[in-house]
Amino acid sequence: MGSGCDHPGWGSIETGGADMKIPVAAAIAIAFGLVVLAGYFLPLPELVSLRTILVQWSMIIASTALFVGVANLLRVHWFKLRKGGTASAYSFLLIASLLVTLVVVGLYGPTGSWSLWIFNSIQFPIESSLMAILAVVLIYSAARLMRRRMDLFSLLFGMAVLLVLLGSAPIFGIEIPFLYGPDGLRSLIVQIPAVAGARGILLGVALGTIATGLRILIGADRPYGG
Amino acid sequence: MNIVDILISPEGLGLVFLVVFLGSMIVFAVAGKNRPGQNLRGIVAFSRLGKAVGLAVEAGKRLHISLGWGGVSGMQGISGLLGLSVVERIARLASISDRPPVVSSGEGTLGILSQDTLSKTYRTIGEARQYDSGQGRVSGLTPFSYAAGVLPNIYDEQVSATVLAGHFGSEVALIADASERTDGLTLAGSDSIQAQAVMVAAAQEPLIGEELYAAGAYVNAGPLHASSLRAQDIFRWVLVVIILVGAALKLVGLI
Amino acid sequence: MADVRCPMCGKPNPEELELCQFCQARIKPLEGRSPAEEFNSPIGAEPPLDTGGEQDSIDEWLNFLRQSEDEGEPRPFDEEQLADWMKEDLDIKMPESQEPLEPEGTPDWLSSLRSIADEDAPEPPDVEKAQPAVEPSPADSSEENEVPGWLSKLRSRRTAEEGEADQEFAFQLGEEPKISEQAGIQEDRSAISTESVSDWLSELRGEEAPVVDSSQPPELVQEELPAGQVEIGEEVVQPGVGVVSQDEDIPVVEADRASEIQPQTEEIPDWLAGIVAGGAAVAAAEGVEADLDNLPEWLADLEKSSALDREEIVPFGEEGEELTFDWLQTQVRAGQETPYGEELTSDTLGTEADTRGVGPFVGDLSDFLEEAELSSLEAAQPGVEQPGGDLSPAELPTWLEAMRPVDAAAGVYAIDAQDGQVESSGPLAGMQGVLPAEPEIARLKKPAVYALRLQVTESQRAHASLLDELVKSEGEPKEIPGRPAVTSPYLFRLIIFAVLISTILWQVFTGSRTSPLPGLMPETFDTSEIIDNLPENALVLLGVDYDPALAGEMEAAAASLVDHMMLKGAYLGLVSTSSTGPALGEHLIATVGSLSGNRYQGIEMYANLGYLPGGASGLQAFAQAPRQVAPFALDPETTAVWSNTPLQAAQDLAGFDLVAVITDDSDKARAWIEQVQPTLNGTPLIMVISTQAEPLVRPYYQANPKQVDGMVVGLAGGGSYEQSHQDLLAGNGLARKYWDAFSLSVLAAVVLIAVGGFVNLVTNLLNAQKQSKADKKR
Amino acid sequence: MSLADMSLPDLVGTLLGFFLTLMVFSYAFGDNALFRATIHIFIGVSAGYAAIVAWYNVIWPQLFLPLVFGSQSERLYILFPLVLSGLLLFKASPRLSWVGSPAVAYLVGVGVAVGIGGAILGTIFPQTQATINLLDTGAGAPPDGSLLFFIAQGVLIILGTVTTLIYFHFGARNRVSGAPRRPEWVEFLARVGQVFIAITLGVIFAGVFTASLTAMIERVQFIYDVFVPLLTGQ
């Protein structure tokens, strides 16, 4: 199939269209995908229950994929460990902490005392500290925005950020009337333009999701089958 | 329940919507073949991405594509699958670079799919030997551990451009900030609106709203990418008309 | 009969041969070699006889000369050093028996040189053999014998070396020089050898030439002639500088070159200055009577013969070692006829071209230019007729060869003889070839160093050196410029971090509670109403769907609400769609317990149903069949919750009295609303959300009918809830604790973003302006 | 609660959390070894924890439990996911990776269908319905009679939603000179939509910042609560 539109700089692609040799994987994906889709839109009870079963099975297989992901993580860092250098020390820490956590949480269960000790002493403080560092990154990014892209969009974006932040708490204990509170400018901005824009973006994203999903279901895009 | 009841029920309407959408995609694809050259509005991000791929190959630097942690199920999963189309195109172009591209993901299935896509692409262009399974790697299995796991890739592996295409949360700001600290180009798009808000400030080339889903058409990933964009445009205007007419009728009290 | 190895080219030769059959170098050492010969033995040859310390001092003197030549400017010549060497030389084995033939007053060193030369001066076989048919004139033969042997040795050795150089030179050009060419090269070679002798002498002379103060008129120069300057007729001859007074044929030496040489002349002994003056100065072509009184006899005789024998100019050593003055003259005239730079004829250029043809950049650039200089030097003499064509060249010792100054300097002094102008006025009326005044003044600048060199203009030289640097720099590894550690973005990040941390620490340290909590908001009021209306021992499904990263905000927002439910005695069922959900649920319950002192423990009070994989589809499956999807609790006993806990009363989610979802992600909130809310059949759904999810969830709360019955939004929502229920969490609410730090740090953030944004905006505008100016200029 | 009342494990855990927080805060001064070590420990712990939770909540109760203790029908029920899960494990080895492709294809097919279904039934229909209902003066009108404000608010939100949708229109017409461009009226509506999008993303950015600022306050409070007792020896 010729390319309907050749965007400059990227060259056109000959294959990737409906290659006549449809592998087994494509057949599986298309068949089960259409069955589940039918379960959503055809009001037949059998189809609905079949869809529920297929979806539940996919949850079980997705959990197995999580273990394959853990194996991939271990393999990448195992090679880094064997390669040596400063990066190998970090990989050693990762592999050690992964194995210790598997053993302890496996023995005591996800909400066991020692499991919660690991979660509350290591994962929780590190993750919330990373979120705290995000505050510095976000202020820096917002300030640099005018240098990166100086246009109307960035100006409006910056103004909205400043107004909403100013209106989210009293300043030196003083509640600024027209800005703060349920009837202030901040609430107005959040409840009208923000909601409108959010709806428009969600509808646009939904259209894109449908288009991408249909391309995969008819076999035009085949991310599987490696 | 007769046909009319079925059709006006959500499921029925959904089915009609789906069938018409699919039909228009196929019609535009066939029509597009005879009348190539349907144009798209310019999106700066994709032309800069094309240049970035060329520069990376020339300078012997690496391209880093991040698929997020959305898995493959639901709306957040589909944005990850779209990222895989971008991976295929970039791997095809950048395979001749000294440092081939690296794909990082935050979920098991996406990790597997990124390896499959890379190996299939290298096999298609006859460079099967150049494929290394380490190029498709899982960096972490929770959102923030995934973002933390991507930082060493950016700092240590001479990355000149980072493409974020998939489902992210607000932690995407850490990745974009690391790319800026190493003077790399960041092109970012997501289905999550929180991630989009952060990308607008932190990334050099943010993709807003559904611009991420147009990536396939702008990187010439296949004929159906372009025709599905035309179908999206058609249904966009259908929704606009429905909202305006529906609101007017609602205001008047007719519905 | 054993073979002898040639000292020069190392090839084996039959023992009886004296000269090497390959390179004509001397194989058999001469008996009783004089120090001069030892001194002359080529560098690298077998070590000279041990002459005790003399060798070192001689080396010292030559190294000094060599250094002065390398540094380009003539260094002040240390008279004592020279004198010692000279003296030492003089003391060397003066054969007592031999009467010194020199006239009185001759310096010992020369006389000893002469005596040594006489002892060792058997007739050089090659010279005789090569001697053309021309018979030396009887007048000459006597002088010949007096010619010091050391000079004759210079000639023979010079011939040997030059022979090699020619072959090498020919080899470089890529073809064996043909016989005719060889003859030509021989001729050139002879010209060169005489010229190089003159160079050697001129250099020596150069060191002795007295300073000529060009600013003073010539007459004055006569009275104040410094020692060593000889007045020949009307011309004052400066050794090494040439004639100062006006005689056209006499080479004009730029004053500055003279001044350059000047400092060294006082130290050289008179006799040598005299010799040099006699030898170096060029007498007028015709009819110039040299002032012979001061000359040493042997030079004086030479002078006489040159005057008589104008036509038969015999190059040095050609006619049986007669050192005629004419040979010096010839050199000078040769220099005249093709002064460097002005009259190089095409064939000389041709020679140079050949040289260039060798590929100038094969070796180092300076080698090329040196070679080019050498070739141009050889080519400089085509026009000069060498009488007796096949005279073998004088042999210079290698140490002299090495000392040869840059020929360019010599060439500069070629005098332009064609200038036939006769002075009409002034003291020099009637004289020809008077030096134009202004050129001397005009030439007060340093002469072009490359006078006799390849015709390379300044720009060509610059290009050549540029290209050379390029070629050299190609191989050098270039360091990748490291990124500066401290940059403005780096500083800006540090400032932001410092301002935020110090602002928060100040409020935490002071523990201030001054900033008022937000008032009651409609969505918060609805939420508290719903919880207040809960029945006793209500069943509440608590969705814990936020990331540990946002636990700070979510716990501050939800703690008071959860405590409120606990106070109502509700039984909590915790469930999550993320893998960290179960642990976060436990953390939340523990935090509320520690703040309120109201310990919720054990399966009797709450059950942790764990993690629902698959996101929205998992939630949908749970909403449709909760008992199959989450059958057990995560407590150590993994209790079957639907049969052994109060949850047994709920067949499905509609069986719960309240569903409360705590989430930071709008997608998860939507998933709960779209997948779970339709199955609740009237059971209220309340949400505790992060501020970032507000714009997307609020429409569901504002919808009609409401899809979300109550909402608490972020820290402000939590504060508003605590404000409306002062008794919750025993007054230790997290929102109250963080609220003052939050309000001050938000203000600090606004200031940082505004100031930073303004600075970046101004910088961007300035850069854009600079860019547009640059574009306009281009 | 002061440090003295804590049990030993809790005390060690609190001190460990204290040092890990400081090591993460060091990232503000740039990438360094302490920060690298901390995030590698964090990645290992979170991956291990997620894997065990998946085992406890999915693999064990929904796959192995019925297989071992379940009835014949239950075993038959889980046979298909059991086989596909087995095939999927081959993806861990690069050489035998092709064996796992059917399982991956199944996950992709079902996932995409769930995505499409969710997009249509979970987003397009509800959002469109909600936007239309903004002008429902019957049910939606506020009780205190400010109908005008209600209608104005509704019209403004509808205008914002529609123009935001139009902003993303991709099709453009060729022009003699310059890049392809959309019709002028579409460009005008798109520019209005751009204003709404900028404000929306700005509001959400402020929300994300508020959440991260609250996290920083919580961490600083934690450091203060641990450091001061350590300093004063309580």
Side-chain angles (χ1 to χ4, degrees):
Chain A
M1 283 209 196
S3 152
C5 148
D6 284 349
H7 202 75
W10 281 90
S12 63
I13 179 169
E14 289 71 37
T15 58
D19 187 344
M20 293 324 292
K21 183 170 72 58
I22 301 177
V24 170
I28 292 174
I30 294 168
F32 283 104
L34 291 179
V35 166
V36 170
L37 204 57
Y40 271 104
F41 296 107
L42 295 182
L44 305 175
E46 298 76 13
L47 270 181
V48 173
S49 57
L50 180 58
R51 181 193 94 196
T52 309
I53 293 168
L54 292 179
V55 167
Q56 198 179 355
W57 282 348
S58 75
M59 282 189 297
I60 297 171
I61 301 169
S63 301
T64 315
L66 188 137
F67 284 93
V68 175
V70 170
N72 182 309
L73 191 64
L74 280 172
R75 199 160 157 276
V76 166
H77 285 277
W78 174 254
F79 282 133
K80 276 189 181 175
L81 185 63
R82 281 181 37 201
K83 207 193 293 182
T86 51
S88 65
Y90 302 134
S91 296
F92 171 76
L93 278 179
L94 186 142
I95 293 172
S97 53
L98 176 59
L99 297 179
V100 165
T101 307
L102 283 177
V103 168
V104 170
V105 180
L107 287 176
Y108 291 90
T111 52
S113 57
W114 283 107
S115 308
L116 288 180
W117 184 88
I118 288 178
F119 181 83
N120 294 330
S121 310
I122 298 176
Q123 183 163 350
F124 185 91
I126 293 176
E127 192 149 350
S128 46
S129 308
L130 283 173
M131 188 65 180
I133 285 288
L134 210 60
V136 177
V137 170
L138 293 177
I139 292 180
Y140 174 80
S141 305
R144 291 273 296 189
L145 184 58
M146 292 316 292
R147 182 159 190 169
R148 210 177 280 126
R149 282 189 313 280
M150 197 172 62
D151 51 22
L152 174 67
F153 186 91
S154 306
L155 203 62
L156 282 173
F157 179 87
M159 302 259 295
V161 168
L162 293 179
L163 275 178
V164 169
L165 285 180
L166 276 178
S168 56
I171 297 174
F172 296 117
I174 305 157
E175 296 176 349
I176 303 168
F178 70 90
L179 186 61
Y180 180 71
D183 304 323
L185 182 61
R186 180 196 180 275
S187 294
L188 213 62
I189 291 173
V190 169
Q191 291 171 24
I192 297 177
V195 167
R199 276 221 175 106
I201 290 172
L202 283 177
L203 288 171
V205 165
L207 287 176
T209 303
I210 294 164
T212 308
L214 284 178
R215 280 201 304 271
I216 294 173
L217 276 192
I218 60 175
D221 283 355
R222 278 177 282 130
Y224 41 77
Chain B
M1 241 173 124
N2 58 33
I3 292 292
V4 174
D5 294 342
I6 292 172
L7 282 180
I8 59 170
S9 69
E11 286 75 11
L13 279 176
L15 186 62
V16 168
F17 184 98
L18 206 56
V19 169
V20 174
F21 197 103
L22 183 60
S24 54
M25 273 172 68
I26 293 168
V27 164
F28 287 133
V30 171
K33 195 173 66 173
N34 307 335
R35 205 169 33 76
Q38 183 261 343
N39 287 305
L40 302 174
R41 66 180 167 95
I43 297 183
V44 176
F46 292 118
S47 45
R48 273 195 79 177
L49 175 60
K51 281 189 208 118
V53 172
L55 282 176
V57 171
E58 220 174 279
K61 293 212 168 181
R62 199 183 290 281
L63 281 158
H64 168 242
I65 303 132
S66 179
L67 299 178
W69 44 269
V72 293
S73 182
M75 283 178 69
Q76 59 190 38
I78 285 183
S79 62
L81 294 173
L82 180 86
L84 289 168
S85 307
V86 177
V87 165
E88 183 184 355
R89 285 301 295 148
I90 289 180
R92 193 180 284 270
L93 292 176
S95 57
I96 53 174
S97 167
D98 299 345
R99 289 190 173 85
V102 161
V103 184
S104 66
S105 44
E107 199 262 351
T109 319
L110 276 179
I112 295 167
L113 285 170
S114 62
Q115 290 178 339
D116 288 353
T117 304
L118 285 172
S119 74
K120 182 177 71 174
T121 306
Y122 280 108
R123 244 194 352 266
T124 313
I125 57 176
E127 300 264 355
R129 267 175 303 94
Q130 218 188 13
Y131 166 66
D132 159 30
S133 65
Q135 284 174 246
R137 54 182 84 156
V138 172
S139 300
L141 287 162
T142 64
F144 267 81
S145 69
Y146 162 67
V150 166
L151 301 186
N153 294 348
I154 292 177
Y155 281 122
D156 299 346
E157 302 200 17
Q158 303 263 342
V159 170
S160 67
T162 296
V163 178
L164 307 169
H167 184 77
F168 300 90
S170 46
E171 78 287 341
V172 75
L174 288 174
I175 302 175
D177 181 62
S179 180
E180 168 151 8
R181 287 182 193 222
T182 52
D183 303 334
L185 168 71
T186 313
L187 184 140
S190 174
D191 66 299
S192 154
I193 206 163
Q194 273 103 12
Q196 288 177 37
V198 169
M199 287 166 177
V200 161
Q204 278 103 358
E205 292 301 340
L207 293 170
I208 304 166
E210 60 183 280
E211 285 176 353
L212 169 68
Y213 294 90
Y218 278 84
V219 300
N220 292 347
L224 263 165
H225 285 260
S227 61
S228 58
L229 268 197
R230 292 180 73 177
Q232 274 175 246
D233 281 347
I234 299 290
F235 275 81
R236 180 190 322 285
W237 288 98
V238 165
L239 286 181
V240 165
V241 167
I242 290 173
I243 288 172
L244 293 179
V245 169
L249 295 178
K250 184 70 80 174
L251 182 62
V252 177
L254 285 181
I255 55 174
Chain C
M1 197 189 56
D3 284 350
V4 176
R5 191 168 291 282
C6 160
M8 182 59 72
C9 59
K11 291 183 180 123
N13 291 279
E15 198 181 3
E16 69 282 1
L17 277 184
E18 284 208 333
L19 289 180
C20 170
Q21 58 187 357
F22 299 98
C23 63
Q24 273 70 38
R26 167 161 301 288
I27 299 173
K28 251 197 216 126
L30 301 177
E31 294 90 301
R33 290 166 56 161
S34 72
E37 278 167 359
E38 284 161 50
F39 200 74
N40 298 342
S41 61
I43 298 165
E46 87 274 11
L49 300 175
D50 181 13
T51 52
E54 298 119 8
Q55 182 54 45
D56 304 344
S57 57
I58 293 167
D59 287 350
E60 229 174 65
W61 173 64
L62 287 172
N63 286 344
F64 159 72
L65 285 179
R66 198 168 287 129
Q67 269 162 11
S68 67
E69 189 198 352
D70 290 349
E71 281 153 17
E73 313 93 28
R75 284 189 8 208
F77 188 76
D78 186 352
E79 188 176 347
E80 293 75 22
Q81 200 179 17
L82 176 67
D84 297 348
W85 169 68
M86 292 280 184
K87 264 186 238 121
E88 277 166 24
D89 217 11
L90 296 178
D91 300 342
I92 296 164
K93 290 201 290 304
M94 280 292 292
E96 288 77 14
S97 59
Q98 200 176 9
E99 276 303 309
L101 301 177
E102 301 87 325
E104 300 76 18
T106 310
D108 301 347
W109 73 274
L110 188 59
S111 58
S112 69
L113 283 176
R114 183 170 292 113
S115 60
I116 293 157
D118 293 348
E119 274 171 28
D120 312 330
E123 284 305 307
D126 59 325
V127 170
E128 276 168 13
K129 264 184 235 127
Q131 187 62 33
V134 176
E135 284 306 315
S137 64
D140 301 340
S141 60
S142 61
E143 280 97 19
E144 246 172 53
N145 304 340
E146 288 166 22
V147 169
W150 64 275
L151 286 179
S152 63
K153 287 295 142 301
L154 295 179
R155 185 190 50 186
S156 60
R157 183 169 306 287
R158 181 71 198 157
T159 320
E161 281 156 21
E162 291 307 323
E164 274 167 50
D166 287 344
Q167 277 163 8
E168 205 178 309
F169 182 70
F171 175 75
Q172 271 184 355
L173 289 177
E175 81 281 347
E176 273 302 316
K178 295 188 212 57
I179 305 298
S180 61
E181 274 174 11
Q182 275 179 345
I185 289 172
Q186 272 303 10
E187 249 177 49
D188 294 352
R189 182 58 49 218
S190 64
I192 290 170
S193 65
T194 45
E195 186 173 8
S196 49
V197 167
S198 74
D199 295 341
W200 164 65
L201 285 176
S202 66
E203 187 180 12
L204 278 179
R205 178 194 60 198
E207 272 128 30
E208 295 152 6
V211 174
V212 176
D213 183 357
S214 60
S215 59
Q216 294 178 344
E219 307 84 26
L220 290 179
V221 171
Q222 222 155 5
E223 284 77 27
E224 296 153 21
L225 281 184
Q229 221 182 36
V230 176
E231 186 183 340
I232 303 168
E234 281 131 23
E235 287 85 19
V236 176
V237 178
Q238 287 158 279
V241 173
V243 176
V244 182
S245 54
Q246 300 309 316
D247 187 322
E248 282 148 22
D249 296 341
I250 294 171
V252 177
V253 175
E254 280 88 353
D256 50 12
R257 178 65 189 161
S259 63
E260 220 175 87
I261 296 162
Q262 154 56 27
Q264 302 148 23
T265 52
E266 286 85 355
E267 295 85 3
I268 298 178
D270 298 346
W271 75 268
L272 188 60
I275 294 170
V276 172
V282 174
E286 278 86 23
V288 172
E289 273 309 306
D291 181 352
L292 301 176
D293 307 345
N294 294 346
L295 279 181
E297 209 172 89
W298 65 278
L299 278 181
D301 299 344
L302 285 176
E303 182 50 41
K304 273 201 210 101
S305 68
S306 70
L308 299 174
D309 196 356
R310 171 67 42 226
E311 292 318 313
E312 290 187 36
I313 295 169
V314 178
F316 170 72
E318 197 56 37
E319 290 198 3
E321 292 118 59
E322 187 194 343
L323 181 66
T324 59
F325 194 73
D326 294 344
W327 70 269
L328 292 174
Q329 201 173 30
T330 317
Q331 310 321 316
V332 172
R333 181 169 298 109
Q336 277 178 351
E337 272 156 20
T338 51
Y340 176 72
E342 278 104 335
E343 292 172 13
L344 283 179
T345 53
S346 58
D347 46 359
T348 49
L349 284 175
T351 322
E352 283 152 36
D354 298 344
T355 320
R356 200 174 301 129
V358 173
F361 299 112
V362 167
D364 187 43
L365 175 69
S366 51
D367 302 341
F368 151 68
L369 292 176
E370 288 307 317
E371 276 182 43
E373 182 185 14
L374 193 67
S375 62
S376 68
L377 189 69
E378 285 165 14
Q381 318 291 336
V384 176
E385 264 311 303
Q386 297 302 327
D390 50 2
L391 297 177
S392 66
E395 186 188 326
L396 281 183
T398 50
W399 61 271
L400 285 181
E401 178 61 31
M403 279 172 36
R404 277 185 52 233
V406 175
D407 292 290
V412 170
Y413 312 125
I415 296 167
D416 188 348
Q418 275 94 16
D419 185 0
Q421 181 199 358
V422 179
E423 274 309 297
S424 56
S425 61
L428 303 176
M431 303 297 294
Q432 259 191 346
V434 174
L435 298 180
E438 68 290 348
E440 294 214 11
I441 296 168
R443 285 187 187 169
L444 266 178
K445 62 174 176 45
K446 193 172 173 187
V449 173
Y450 41 79
L452 267 185
R453 283 190 176 190
L454 176 73
Q455 188 185 1
V456 176
T457 61
E458 200 49 46
S459 63
Q460 285 168 341
R461 174 172 293 280
H463 290 152
S465 57
L466 190 65
L467 195 57
D468 179 42
E469 276 155 28
L470 275 178
V471 167
K472 269 188 204 144
S473 67
E474 200 54 43
E476 283 145 19
K478 290 187 182 63
E479 260 166 42
I480 298 170
R483 192 176 302 113
V486 180
T487 57
S488 63
Y490 177 81
L491 285 182
F492 189 27
R493 283 194 179 92
L494 279 192
I495 292 167
I496 295 170
F497 182 73
V499 167
L500 285 184
I501 292 287
S502 50
T503 312
I504 296 169
L505 256 182
W506 169 254
Q507 294 295 334
V508 166
F509 177 71
T510 57
S512 90
R513 297 286 191 271
T514 55
S515 189
L517 281 173
L520 196 60
M521 299 172 189
E523 60 269 18
T524 324
F525 173 76
D526 291 344
T527 308
S528 74
E529 281 287 297
I530 291 169
I531 295 175
D532 278 342
N533 298 332
L534 280 179
E536 278 306 317
N537 301 324
L539 294 180
V540 175
L541 179 66
L542 191 60
V544 183
D545 253 350
Y546 55 87
D547 268 348
L550 285 112
E553 183 190 29
M554 300 320 297
E555 287 186 353
S560 50
L561 180 135
V562 170
D563 188 38
H564 194 185
M565 287 191 258
M566 288 178 176
L567 288 178
K568 298 288 287 184
Y571 186 88
L572 303 179
L574 275 58
V575 72
S576 172
T577 60
S578 68
S579 63
T580 52
L584 283 170
E586 299 289 340
H587 190 273
L588 175 64
I589 301 289
T591 305
V592 171
S594 67
L595 290 173
S596 65
N598 184 358
R599 289 274 163 209
Y600 245 57
Q601 278 173 341
I603 197 71
E604 302 73 25
M605 294 185 159
Y606 74 94
N608 195 330
L609 300 179
Y611 157 60
L612 305 176
S617 23
L619 211 52
Q620 189 183 37
F622 177 73
Q624 286 167 1
R627 292 182 170 231
Q628 280 81 28
V629 172
F632 304 103
L634 287 183
D635 61 332
E637 296 77 32
T638 57
T639 316
V641 288
W642 303 102
S643 47
N644 305 329
T645 69
L647 292 185
Q648 60 191 334
Q651 296 303 321
D652 55 20
L653 298 191
F656 284 85
D657 300 303
L658 171 64
V659 174
V661 178
I662 309 172
T663 180
D664 62 289
D665 188 349
S666 56
D667 294 334
K668 289 182 180 170
R670 263 192 20 246
W672 278 89
I673 296 167
E674 289 162 6
Q675 310 297 339
V676 172
Q677 199 269 340
T679 63
L680 295 183
N681 301 335
T683 301
L685 170 63
I686 61 173
M687 285 200 153
V688 180
I689 57 171
S690 162
T691 329
Q692 62 187 15
E694 182 182 1
L696 288 152
V697 177
R698 182 172 286 277
Y700 292 104
Y701 167 72
Q702 290 173 337
N704 194 348
K706 291 184 189 308
Q707 289 173 274
V708 171
D709 303 294
M711 219 169 48
V712 175
V713 181
L715 191 62
S720 164
Y721 203 91
E722 285 175 16
Q723 180 71 359
S724 60
H725 299 76
Q726 304 277 344
D727 56 333
L728 291 178
L729 298 171
N732 289 327
L734 290 175
R736 176 67 267 175
K737 200 173 188 181
Y738 298 155
W739 188 246
D740 280 52
F742 176 76
S743 58
L744 196 61
S745 52
V746 160
L747 183 63
V750 167
V751 168
L752 284 169
I753 291 174
V755 169
F758 181 73
V759 166
N760 277 296
L761 185 65
V762 168
T763 315
N764 212 7
L765 290 176
L766 290 178
N767 290 343
Q769 229 171 19
K770 238 178 273 177
Q771 189 70 29
S772 59
K773 263 185 213 141
D775 293 346
K776 257 183 226 133
K777 227 175 277 173
R778 227 175 287 130
Chain D
M1 187 171 68
S2 72
L3 297 183
D5 309 338
M6 284 185 178
S7 65
L8 184 63
D10 286 348
L11 180 63
V12 169
T14 304
L15 291 178
L16 184 59
F18 174 78
F19 287 114
L20 290 175
T21 301
L22 293 181
M23 282 155 84
V24 171
F25 274 9
S26 70
Y27 184 57
F29 302 97
D31 186 22
N32 58 77
L34 290 180
F35 175 74
R36 283 286 183 103
T38 308
I39 57 173
H40 277 82
I41 293 172
F42 169 54
I43 296 167
V45 165
S46 57
Y49 192 87
I52 296 299
V53 167
W55 171 268
Y56 260 82
N57 277 104
V58 180
I59 307 290
W60 173 252
Q62 298 189 30
L63 204 59
F64 282 95
L65 214 58
L67 188 66
V68 173
F69 306 105
S71 62
Q72 193 60 23
S73 63
E74 282 174 340
R75 282 197 185 123
L76 208 63
Y77 175 79
I78 55 125
L79 186 62
F80 182 82
L82 188 64
V83 167
L84 285 188
S85 297
L87 293 179
L88 194 64
L89 290 177
F90 283 94
K91 282 289 181 184
S93 109
R95 256 179 317 97
L96 301 172
S97 164
W98 59 274
V99 174
S101 292
V104 174
Y106 173 80
L107 281 180
V108 169
V110 170
V112 163
V114 168
I116 293 172
I120 295 176
L121 298 178
T123 303
I124 287 188
F125 286 177
Q127 293 294 334
T128 308
Q129 185 70 46
T131 310
I132 290 171
N133 290 344
L134 283 169
L135 293 182
D136 183 359
T137 51
D144 58 6
S146 58
L147 186 63
L148 199 64
F149 173 77
F150 173 78
I151 291 172
Q153 179 178 335
V155 167
L156 206 56
I157 291 176
I158 289 170
L159 175 71
T161 306
V162 164
T163 49
T164 301
L165 260 175
I166 292 169
Y167 169 82
F168 294 112
H169 182 84
F170 293 104
R173 245 186 248 133
N174 253 336
R175 282 194 306 163
V176 175
S177 63
R181 188 175 165 77
R182 299 179 286 193
E184 277 317 312
W185 60 278
V186 172
E187 287 293 338
F188 169 72
L189 290 175
R191 218 168 284 121
V192 173
Q194 194 179 26
V195 170
F196 280 92
I197 293 172
I199 293 172
T200 303
L201 296 179
V203 166
I204 294 174
F205 179 89
V208 173
F209 174 74
T210 304
S212 60
L213 190 61
T214 313
M216 180 176 265
I217 293 168
E218 188 265 339
R219 280 294 94 192
V220 172
Q221 183 73 55
F222 168 77
I223 290 172
Y224 181 80
D225 291 344
V226 170
F227 188 69
V228 169
L230 276 180
L231 214 61
T232 55
Q234 284 167 22

